[in-house]
Amino acid sequence: MINGKIDLRSDTVTVPTEEMRKAMYEAVVGDDVYGDDQTVNELEALAAEIMGKEAGLFVPSGVMSNQLALFTHVNRGEEVILPDNCHIVAHEAGAAAIIAGAQLRTVQNVGGEMPLDIIEKYIRKDPDDIHQPKTALITYENADSDGQVRSLEYMKNVRELADKYHLPIHLDGARIFNAATVLGVEAKEIAQYADSVSVCLSKGLCAPVGSVLVGSKEFIAVARRKRKIIGGGMRQVGILAAAGKIALNVMSKRLQEDHDNAKYMAEALCGVKGLEVYKERQQINMVFFRLKDYPLSSAELVDYMAKHDVIINGEDNGIMRFATHKYVTREEIDKVVDLMKQV
């Protein structure tokens, strides 16, 4: 429960833990644009180490992290191959066209994955053809907001395909620790198949703000300059980085609890008449369902739940999503399910 309400909209709604608040208060800070903020430097080094990369860059948001990756990997007018429903395409306000000047070539997401043969088909094979844009990057998510986790085998296959055509890969790793938890591996075993990775600190990890972009030293040096270009240079931001360190060191290790609670919720929602629950999509901390023969519409359900101090989002393309996180207990899940049964 957060501020007296059960909030199932997203794992972004989490608030800082008491340990985070204390660390933020006591943080050693400096001017990060000059590279003087000790706490930021520690966070960037920690994220890079966890992901098996050389360097990291702290930025205000996951959108900025992804867009910096594109801005750094891609020249204006070059092409990026990516899933048609991924965050960069659907939830970043067209930023790739505005910031990097990139052309997006989308591939239909089939069962959570871009088919390898379609990726290869979409790669521009002749860089000397003046009529075509140049393929510059492949990017995708692990895990995504549809709750799907890419297998290590799939990621290895995409890496081999990219290497065949000398292309870099950017991984939107907003929920990479959820993916690592599902796969039973360290995050660096996922990150090894990408040249750059965006790591979100506020999705389910309780940090109030921020992501870290990791990659090679050369890549991060260019990204740092481009962060300045788009207004992402921050000053005494170690106050926020202090919470990020705890997100990586502590909160990333408790996600199995959220996954187990989501599974518990999915099972319980199966007992609500009129719902079609997509149990096969429940891999991480998200539950998806459809109001099939339910007596309330999506908008009516949102209003009904709000009157009982439960905050939910409405449907997206006919699908409802509930997300579990640190501040959702099984008792609260039972309350939500009972409310839905009482309609």
mmCIF file of all heavy atoms in Angstrom, residues 172-213:
data_model
loop_
_atom_site.group_PDB
_atom_site.id
_atom_site.type_symbol
_atom_site.label_atom_id
_atom_site.label_comp_id
_atom_site.label_asym_id
_atom_site.label_seq_id
_atom_site.Cartn_x
_atom_site.Cartn_y
_atom_site.Cartn_z
ATOM 1 N N ASP A 172 17.162 -2.539 -24.257
ATOM 2 C CA ASP A 172 16.360 -1.797 -23.286
ATOM 3 C C ASP A 172 16.128 -2.738 -22.111
ATOM 4 O O ASP A 172 15.209 -3.555 -22.121
ATOM 5 C CB ASP A 172 15.035 -1.363 -23.928
ATOM 6 C CG ASP A 172 14.148 -0.584 -22.961
ATOM 7 O OD1 ASP A 172 14.501 -0.485 -21.772
ATOM 8 O OD2 ASP A 172 13.095 -0.081 -23.396
ATOM 9 N N GLY A 173 16.978 -2.607 -21.117
ATOM 10 C CA GLY A 173 16.919 -3.493 -19.950
ATOM 11 C C GLY A 173 16.190 -2.868 -18.787
ATOM 12 O O GLY A 173 16.627 -2.996 -17.633
ATOM 13 N N ALA A 174 15.082 -2.174 -19.075
ATOM 14 C CA ALA A 174 14.335 -1.498 -18.018
ATOM 15 C C ALA A 174 14.016 -2.441 -16.864
ATOM 16 O O ALA A 174 14.088 -2.059 -15.688
ATOM 17 C CB ALA A 174 13.051 -0.905 -18.585
ATOM 18 N N ARG A 175 13.670 -3.676 -17.189
ATOM 19 C CA ARG A 175 13.377 -4.674 -16.157
ATOM 20 C C ARG A 175 14.339 -5.874 -16.280
ATOM 21 O O ARG A 175 13.936 -7.027 -16.153
ATOM 22 C CB ARG A 175 11.919 -5.133 -16.262
ATOM 23 C CG ARG A 175 10.917 -4.026 -15.941
ATOM 24 C CD ARG A 175 9.472 -4.526 -15.994
ATOM 25 N NE ARG A 175 8.534 -3.504 -15.592
ATOM 26 C CZ ARG A 175 7.983 -2.598 -16.415
ATOM 27 N NH1 ARG A 175 8.298 -2.621 -17.714
ATOM 28 N NH2 ARG A 175 7.141 -1.692 -15.959
ATOM 29 N N ILE A 176 15.610 -5.580 -16.498
ATOM 30 C CA ILE A 176 16.582 -6.649 -16.718
ATOM 31 C C ILE A 176 16.733 -7.541 -15.491
ATOM 32 O O ILE A 176 16.997 -8.742 -15.615
ATOM 33 C CB ILE A 176 17.952 -6.066 -17.142
ATOM 34 C CG1 ILE A 176 18.859 -7.194 -17.652
ATOM 35 C CG2 ILE A 176 18.593 -5.253 -16.024
ATOM 36 C CD1 ILE A 176 20.138 -6.695 -18.320
ATOM 37 N N PHE A 177 16.510 -6.999 -14.292
ATOM 38 C CA PHE A 177 16.631 -7.827 -13.095
ATOM 39 C C PHE A 177 15.439 -8.765 -12.951
ATOM 40 O O PHE A 177 15.574 -9.861 -12.407
ATOM 41 C CB PHE A 177 16.801 -6.946 -11.857
ATOM 42 C CG PHE A 177 18.113 -6.201 -11.843
ATOM 43 C CD1 PHE A 177 18.151 -4.841 -12.086
ATOM 44 C CD2 PHE A 177 19.309 -6.868 -11.617
ATOM 45 C CE1 PHE A 177 19.351 -4.155 -12.094
ATOM 46 C CE2 PHE A 177 20.512 -6.193 -11.628
ATOM 47 C CZ PHE A 177 20.539 -4.828 -11.865
ATOM 48 N N ASN A 178 14.274 -8.346 -13.444
ATOM 49 C CA ASN A 178 13.140 -9.273 -13.498
ATOM 50 C C ASN A 178 13.448 -10.418 -14.453
ATOM 51 O O ASN A 178 13.172 -11.587 -14.156
ATOM 52 C CB ASN A 178 11.883 -8.547 -13.968
ATOM 53 C CG ASN A 178 11.404 -7.500 -12.990
ATOM 54 O OD1 ASN A 178 11.803 -6.341 -13.077
ATOM 55 N ND2 ASN A 178 10.553 -7.886 -12.060
ATOM 56 N N ALA A 179 14.041 -10.084 -15.597
ATOM 57 C CA ALA A 179 14.406 -11.119 -16.568
ATOM 58 C C ALA A 179 15.440 -12.066 -15.982
ATOM 59 O O ALA A 179 15.337 -13.289 -16.132
ATOM 60 C CB ALA A 179 14.945 -10.472 -17.842
ATOM 61 N N ALA A 180 16.445 -11.504 -15.302
ATOM 62 C CA ALA A 180 17.476 -12.339 -14.693
ATOM 63 C C ALA A 180 16.893 -13.265 -13.640
ATOM 64 O O ALA A 180 17.310 -14.430 -13.506
ATOM 65 C CB ALA A 180 18.564 -11.451 -14.078
ATOM 66 N N THR A 181 15.908 -12.763 -12.896
ATOM 67 C CA THR A 181 15.252 -13.581 -11.871
ATOM 68 C C THR A 181 14.512 -14.754 -12.506
ATOM 69 O O THR A 181 14.597 -15.889 -12.035
ATOM 70 C CB THR A 181 14.273 -12.715 -11.052
ATOM 71 O OG1 THR A 181 15.006 -11.667 -10.402
ATOM 72 C CG2 THR A 181 13.550 -13.547 -9.999
ATOM 73 N N VAL A 182 13.792 -14.489 -13.592
ATOM 74 C CA VAL A 182 13.062 -15.551 -14.292
ATOM 75 C C VAL A 182 14.021 -16.584 -14.872
ATOM 76 O O VAL A 182 13.792 -17.795 -14.771
ATOM 77 C CB VAL A 182 12.182 -14.951 -15.418
ATOM 78 C CG1 VAL A 182 11.623 -16.057 -16.320
ATOM 79 C CG2 VAL A 182 11.050 -14.128 -14.821
ATOM 80 N N LEU A 183 15.108 -16.115 -15.470
ATOM 81 C CA LEU A 183 16.053 -17.008 -16.143
ATOM 82 C C LEU A 183 17.017 -17.675 -15.163
ATOM 83 O O LEU A 183 17.712 -18.625 -15.542
ATOM 84 C CB LEU A 183 16.847 -16.230 -17.190
ATOM 85 C CG LEU A 183 16.029 -15.639 -18.343
ATOM 86 C CD1 LEU A 183 16.912 -14.760 -19.225
ATOM 87 C CD2 LEU A 183 15.372 -16.741 -19.170
ATOM 88 N N GLY A 184 17.083 -17.176 -13.928
ATOM 89 C CA GLY A 184 17.971 -17.763 -12.934
ATOM 90 C C GLY A 184 19.433 -17.503 -13.216
ATOM 91 O O GLY A 184 20.286 -18.363 -12.960
ATOM 92 N N VAL A 185 19.738 -16.306 -13.739
ATOM 93 C CA VAL A 185 21.115 -15.956 -14.087
ATOM 94 C C VAL A 185 21.447 -14.576 -13.537
ATOM 95 O O VAL A 185 20.570 -13.820 -13.101
ATOM 96 C CB VAL A 185 21.330 -15.961 -15.618
ATOM 97 C CG1 VAL A 185 21.035 -17.333 -16.193
ATOM 98 C CG2 VAL A 185 20.470 -14.891 -16.298
ATOM 99 N N GLU A 186 22.734 -14.232 -13.550
ATOM 100 C CA GLU A 186 23.148 -12.871 -13.228
ATOM 101 C C GLU A 186 22.814 -11.959 -14.409
ATOM 102 O O GLU A 186 22.792 -12.387 -15.559
ATOM 103 C CB GLU A 186 24.646 -12.825 -12.945
ATOM 104 C CG GLU A 186 25.078 -13.638 -11.727
ATOM 105 C CD GLU A 186 24.520 -13.081 -10.431
ATOM 106 O OE1 GLU A 186 24.400 -11.844 -10.312
ATOM 107 O OE2 GLU A 186 24.183 -13.896 -9.542
ATOM 108 N N ALA A 187 22.585 -10.695 -14.113
ATOM 109 C CA ALA A 187 22.201 -9.744 -15.158
ATOM 110 C C ALA A 187 23.254 -9.645 -16.258
ATOM 111 O O ALA A 187 22.917 -9.445 -17.427
ATOM 112 C CB ALA A 187 21.944 -8.369 -14.539
ATOM 113 N N LYS A 188 24.518 -9.797 -15.909
ATOM 114 C CA LYS A 188 25.572 -9.677 -16.917
ATOM 115 C C LYS A 188 25.507 -10.796 -17.951
ATOM 116 O O LYS A 188 26.001 -10.636 -19.076
ATOM 117 C CB LYS A 188 26.947 -9.654 -16.253
ATOM 118 C CG LYS A 188 27.383 -10.924 -15.561
ATOM 119 C CD LYS A 188 28.812 -10.799 -15.013
ATOM 120 C CE LYS A 188 28.956 -9.688 -14.020
ATOM 121 N NZ LYS A 188 30.320 -9.591 -13.449
ATOM 122 N N GLU A 189 24.882 -11.928 -17.596
ATOM 123 C CA GLU A 189 24.729 -13.009 -18.566
ATOM 124 C C GLU A 189 23.721 -12.630 -19.650
ATOM 125 O O GLU A 189 23.768 -13.163 -20.768
ATOM 126 C CB GLU A 189 24.316 -14.298 -17.863
ATOM 127 C CG GLU A 189 25.390 -14.856 -16.933
ATOM 128 C CD GLU A 189 25.040 -16.211 -16.386
ATOM 129 O OE1 GLU A 189 24.662 -17.095 -17.178
ATOM 130 O OE2 GLU A 189 25.122 -16.388 -15.149
ATOM 131 N N ILE A 190 22.813 -11.721 -19.332
ATOM 132 C CA ILE A 190 21.895 -11.174 -20.328
ATOM 133 C C ILE A 190 22.587 -10.047 -21.096
ATOM 134 O O ILE A 190 22.550 -9.990 -22.326
ATOM 135 C CB ILE A 190 20.614 -10.649 -19.647
ATOM 136 C CG1 ILE A 190 19.854 -11.801 -18.972
ATOM 137 C CG2 ILE A 190 19.720 -9.918 -20.641
ATOM 138 C CD1 ILE A 190 18.682 -11.351 -18.126
ATOM 139 N N ALA A 191 23.242 -9.169 -20.351
ATOM 140 C CA ALA A 191 23.851 -7.974 -20.941
ATOM 141 C C ALA A 191 24.992 -8.302 -21.901
ATOM 142 O O ALA A 191 25.324 -7.484 -22.764
ATOM 143 C CB ALA A 191 24.357 -7.053 -19.834
ATOM 144 N N GLN A 192 25.578 -9.483 -21.776
ATOM 145 C CA GLN A 192 26.722 -9.838 -22.625
ATOM 146 C C GLN A 192 26.368 -9.850 -24.113
ATOM 147 O O GLN A 192 27.248 -9.728 -24.969
ATOM 148 C CB GLN A 192 27.266 -11.212 -22.237
ATOM 149 C CG GLN A 192 26.331 -12.377 -22.547
ATOM 150 C CD GLN A 192 26.935 -13.730 -22.207
ATOM 151 O OE1 GLN A 192 28.070 -14.015 -22.552
ATOM 152 N NE2 GLN A 192 26.166 -14.563 -21.518
ATOM 153 N N TYR A 193 25.081 -9.975 -24.417
ATOM 154 C CA TYR A 193 24.669 -10.062 -25.818
ATOM 155 C C TYR A 193 24.328 -8.699 -26.416
ATOM 156 O O TYR A 193 23.804 -8.628 -27.531
ATOM 157 C CB TYR A 193 23.489 -11.016 -25.946
ATOM 158 C CG TYR A 193 23.833 -12.434 -25.537
ATOM 159 C CD1 TYR A 193 23.248 -13.025 -24.422
ATOM 160 C CD2 TYR A 193 24.775 -13.170 -26.254
ATOM 161 C CE1 TYR A 193 23.578 -14.325 -24.046
ATOM 162 C CE2 TYR A 193 25.111 -14.464 -25.877
ATOM 163 C CZ TYR A 193 24.512 -15.033 -24.772
ATOM 164 O OH TYR A 193 24.853 -16.322 -24.398
ATOM 165 N N ALA A 194 24.606 -7.624 -25.685
ATOM 166 C CA ALA A 194 24.327 -6.277 -26.186
ATOM 167 C C ALA A 194 25.561 -5.394 -26.027
ATOM 168 O O ALA A 194 26.368 -5.597 -25.117
ATOM 169 C CB ALA A 194 23.141 -5.670 -25.438
ATOM 170 N N ASP A 195 25.685 -4.415 -26.904
ATOM 171 C CA ASP A 195 26.782 -3.448 -26.816
ATOM 172 C C ASP A 195 26.493 -2.373 -25.784
ATOM 173 O O ASP A 195 27.409 -1.869 -25.125
ATOM 174 C CB ASP A 195 27.014 -2.810 -28.180
ATOM 175 C CG ASP A 195 27.435 -3.837 -29.220
ATOM 176 O OD1 ASP A 195 28.626 -4.151 -29.296
ATOM 177 O OD2 ASP A 195 26.546 -4.345 -29.939
ATOM 178 N N SER A 196 25.235 -2.011 -25.661
ATOM 179 C CA SER A 196 24.816 -1.039 -24.651
ATOM 180 C C SER A 196 23.527 -1.541 -24.006
ATOM 181 O O SER A 196 22.742 -2.253 -24.631
ATOM 182 C CB SER A 196 24.602 0.349 -25.271
ATOM 183 O OG SER A 196 23.592 0.320 -26.263
ATOM 184 N N VAL A 197 23.343 -1.154 -22.742
ATOM 185 C CA VAL A 197 22.166 -1.588 -21.990
ATOM 186 C C VAL A 197 21.648 -0.409 -21.175
ATOM 187 O O VAL A 197 22.423 0.313 -20.531
ATOM 188 C CB VAL A 197 22.488 -2.754 -21.029
ATOM 189 C CG1 VAL A 197 21.215 -3.219 -20.308
ATOM 190 C CG2 VAL A 197 23.127 -3.915 -21.778
ATOM 191 N N SER A 198 20.350 -0.223 -21.199
ATOM 192 C CA SER A 198 19.690 0.758 -20.341
ATOM 193 C C SER A 198 19.130 0.035 -19.127
ATOM 194 O O SER A 198 18.366 -0.927 -19.275
ATOM 195 C CB SER A 198 18.561 1.454 -21.104
ATOM 196 O OG SER A 198 17.826 2.307 -20.254
ATOM 197 N N VAL A 199 19.507 0.478 -17.944
ATOM 198 C CA VAL A 199 19.092 -0.159 -16.694
ATOM 199 C C VAL A 199 18.263 0.831 -15.882
ATOM 200 O O VAL A 199 18.780 1.863 -15.447
ATOM 201 C CB VAL A 199 20.318 -0.612 -15.867
ATOM 202 C CG1 VAL A 199 19.864 -1.336 -14.609
ATOM 203 C CG2 VAL A 199 21.246 -1.486 -16.693
ATOM 204 N N CYS A 200 16.986 0.533 -15.688
ATOM 205 C CA CYS A 200 16.098 1.431 -14.944
ATOM 206 C C CYS A 200 16.198 1.152 -13.447
ATOM 207 O O CYS A 200 16.175 -0.002 -13.019
ATOM 208 C CB CYS A 200 14.658 1.269 -15.418
ATOM 209 S SG CYS A 200 13.531 2.449 -14.654
ATOM 210 N N LEU A 201 16.277 2.222 -12.655
ATOM 211 C CA LEU A 201 16.393 2.096 -11.202
ATOM 212 C C LEU A 201 15.054 2.274 -10.490
ATOM 213 O O LEU A 201 14.966 2.005 -9.288
ATOM 214 C CB LEU A 201 17.384 3.144 -10.673
ATOM 215 C CG LEU A 201 18.777 3.122 -11.307
ATOM 216 C CD1 LEU A 201 19.577 4.330 -10.852
ATOM 217 C CD2 LEU A 201 19.500 1.826 -10.968
ATOM 218 N N SER A 202 14.033 2.723 -11.211
ATOM 219 C CA SER A 202 12.758 3.051 -10.575
ATOM 220 C C SER A 202 11.629 2.084 -10.925
ATOM 221 O O SER A 202 10.538 2.209 -10.376
ATOM 222 C CB SER A 202 12.341 4.477 -10.945
ATOM 223 O OG SER A 202 12.176 4.608 -12.344
ATOM 224 N N LYS A 203 11.854 1.129 -11.809
ATOM 225 C CA LYS A 203 10.828 0.140 -12.129
ATOM 226 C C LYS A 203 10.976 -1.054 -11.180
ATOM 227 O O LYS A 203 11.801 -1.939 -11.383
ATOM 228 C CB LYS A 203 10.956 -0.324 -13.584
ATOM 229 C CG LYS A 203 10.398 0.660 -14.597
ATOM 230 C CD LYS A 203 10.392 0.060 -15.995
ATOM 231 C CE LYS A 203 9.562 0.895 -16.965
ATOM 232 N NZ LYS A 203 10.195 2.151 -17.328
ATOM 233 N N GLY A 204 10.188 -1.044 -10.130
ATOM 234 C CA GLY A 204 10.193 -2.151 -9.182
ATOM 235 C C GLY A 204 11.339 -2.152 -8.201
ATOM 236 O O GLY A 204 11.374 -2.979 -7.286
ATOM 237 N N LEU A 205 12.304 -1.225 -8.361
ATOM 238 C CA LEU A 205 13.478 -1.203 -7.487
ATOM 239 C C LEU A 205 13.426 -0.074 -6.463
ATOM 240 O O LEU A 205 14.360 0.094 -5.678
ATOM 241 C CB LEU A 205 14.758 -1.087 -8.325
ATOM 242 C CG LEU A 205 14.986 -2.189 -9.370
ATOM 243 C CD1 LEU A 205 16.351 -2.011 -10.030
ATOM 244 C CD2 LEU A 205 14.873 -3.574 -8.745
ATOM 245 N N CYS A 206 12.366 0.719 -6.499
ATOM 246 C CA CYS A 206 12.038 1.711 -5.474
ATOM 247 C C CYS A 206 12.868 2.992 -5.495
ATOM 248 O O CYS A 206 12.622 3.887 -4.674
ATOM 249 C CB CYS A 206 12.109 1.099 -4.063
ATOM 250 S SG CYS A 206 10.864 -0.168 -3.757
ATOM 251 N N ALA A 207 13.861 3.110 -6.363
ATOM 252 C CA ALA A 207 14.564 4.385 -6.475
ATOM 253 C C ALA A 207 13.595 5.431 -7.027
ATOM 254 O O ALA A 207 12.732 5.114 -7.842
ATOM 255 C CB ALA A 207 15.782 4.259 -7.376
ATOM 256 N N PRO A 208 13.714 6.686 -6.597
ATOM 257 C CA PRO A 208 12.744 7.690 -7.029
ATOM 258 C C PRO A 208 12.924 8.144 -8.473
ATOM 259 O O PRO A 208 11.960 8.571 -9.108
ATOM 260 C CB PRO A 208 12.985 8.858 -6.061
ATOM 261 C CG PRO A 208 14.414 8.707 -5.641
ATOM 262 C CD PRO A 208 14.663 7.221 -5.599
ATOM 263 N N VAL A 209 14.155 8.074 -8.984
ATOM 264 C CA VAL A 209 14.465 8.650 -10.295
ATOM 265 C C VAL A 209 15.651 7.913 -10.901
ATOM 266 O O VAL A 209 16.558 7.494 -10.183
ATOM 267 C CB VAL A 209 14.849 10.152 -10.170
ATOM 268 C CG1 VAL A 209 15.390 10.690 -11.480
ATOM 269 C CG2 VAL A 209 13.668 10.991 -9.720
ATOM 270 N N GLY A 210 15.640 7.767 -12.218
ATOM 271 C CA GLY A 210 16.880 7.493 -12.914
ATOM 272 C C GLY A 210 17.072 6.142 -13.555
ATOM 273 O O GLY A 210 16.443 5.148 -13.199
ATOM 274 N N SER A 211 17.966 6.146 -14.538
ATOM 275 C CA SER A 211 18.449 4.945 -15.211
ATOM 276 C C SER A 211 19.958 5.103 -15.398
ATOM 277 O O SER A 211 20.499 6.205 -15.303
ATOM 278 C CB SER A 211 17.780 4.764 -16.571
ATOM 279 O OG SER A 211 16.420 4.399 -16.451
ATOM 280 N N VAL A 212 20.623 3.985 -15.675
ATOM 281 C CA VAL A 212 22.042 4.017 -16.001
ATOM 282 C C VAL A 212 22.226 3.358 -17.361
ATOM 283 O O VAL A 212 21.760 2.239 -17.585
ATOM 284 C CB VAL A 212 22.896 3.292 -14.944
ATOM 285 C CG1 VAL A 212 24.381 3.408 -15.301
ATOM 286 C CG2 VAL A 212 22.642 3.864 -13.554
ATOM 287 N N LEU A 213 22.881 4.070 -18.263
ATOM 288 C CA LEU A 213 23.249 3.529 -19.570
ATOM 289 C C LEU A 213 24.666 2.992 -19.455
ATOM 290 O O LEU A 213 25.566 3.709 -19.013
ATOM 291 C CB LEU A 213 23.175 4.619 -20.635
ATOM 292 C CG LEU A 213 23.577 4.234 -22.059
ATOM 293 C CD1 LEU A 213 22.630 3.183 -22.629
ATOM 294 C CD2 LEU A 213 23.620 5.464 -22.955
#
